Structures are given as C-alpha cells and as structure tokens.
Amino acid sequence: MSLPPLPNEHVPRRFVVLRHDSPRGLHWDFMLEAEGSLRTWALAEEPCGPLSCSAEQLPDHRLAYLDYEGDVSGGRGVVNRYDSGEYRVRQCDADHVIVDLAGGRLRGRATLVRQGDQRWSFSFASSGAAASG
C-alpha cells in the first residue's frame, strides 16, 4: 500500500490516538488528518515518550474517528481516545513521516520510517512541555 504524501504546508491539522482493544490484541491507532480522511498506523505500544516501536500501516479511516469513542462495527473491539490535538508536517515522503504533535498528552516529534510494505517503525520524542488537563 503506497502512502500519498501528507501536505507539506505549515498549516496545523488534527490528529488522534485511540487505544484500541481488539480481537487481535491491544494497540494504539495513530491517525493523521489528510485530504478528507485519516492516515492510520497501528502502534504496538502506548505512544508515550521517549518511545520506539513497530507500527503497521492500516487503510485510511473516516474523519469521524477524530471524535469517536466506543464499539467498532463488525466486532472489531472498542476504542477510547488516548490523545488528540494538532500536528504540523516536518517531512513526508514515501518512506518517512515526521510530524510535530501538540496534544493533551503528546507534545513533541513523532517519526514513522517505512520498514517494508505495511511495516513501519514509530518513534516519539517529547518536547517536555506536556499540556495540563
């Protein structure tokens, strides 16, 4: 699955991280708003920094997941919001996605590097300026 680039503009866009308890196991869905949908990766570990873990690229999701919590249709588990906020693109090409996150929990740089077809590595480095709330 190829990844169309995120817009390399300096306009903030929305992101969400959902804690997804599913039949395949617990993971975190990292979702970036882009061109009418959410680019999505399933993270193997909770995205608190500093962190490096494996990630699987998933099909784009509907924008409704920016605000959704609850049961996922088709018996695919339950999602709860872990964090949300805005992001800015620093770099985006077929093999790298680097964004700066400004969320309630996640404030810092998230980096995705392609490792294979749908396999990526995810890393997060906190800016140390966590938001309260």
Side-chain angles (χ1 to χ4, degrees), residues 6 12-17 29-33 41 43 47-49 51 82-90 97-112 122-131:
L6 295 166
R13 296 188 181 272
R14 295 175 294 174
F15 82 91
V16 67
V17 178
D29 292 329
F30 180 67
M31 302 173 152
L32 301 174
E33 177 185 30
W41 292 265
L43 307 179
C48 53
L51 167 77
Y82 176 83
D83 197 15
S84 62
E86 293 184 338
Y87 77 94
R88 291 182 185 267
V89 175
R90 292 296 168 213
V97 175
I98 302 172
V99 294
D100 290 336
L101 303 177
R105 290 184 180 193
L106 300 174
R107 291 195 168 274
R109 184 152 296 168
T111 302
L112 287 147
F122 174 88
S123 60
F124 178 74
S126 175
S127 67

Side-chain angles (χ1 to χ4, degrees), residues 23-95:
R24 75 180 215 177
L26 179 62
H27 63 277
W28 286 259
D29 292 329
F30 180 67
M31 302 173 152
L32 301 174
E33 177 185 30
E35 301 175 2
S37 64
L38 295 169
R39 304 271 165 72
T40 304
W41 292 265
L43 307 179
E45 297 179 37
E46 180 180 352
C48 53
L51 167 77
S52 182
C53 69
S54 63
E56 177 186 351
Q57 183 182 350
L58 301 175
D60 289 355
H61 283 60
R62 295 171 296 157
L63 290 176
Y65 280 100
L66 285 167
D67 300 309
Y68 184 76
E69 290 186 279
D71 292 334
V72 180
S73 64
R76 293 177 289 160
V78 176
V79 294
N80 299 99
R81 185 173 339 287
Y82 176 83
D83 197 15
S84 62
E86 293 184 338
Y87 77 94
R88 291 182 185 267
V89 175
R90 292 296 168 213
Q91 178 183 347
C92 184
D93 56 46
D95 297 320

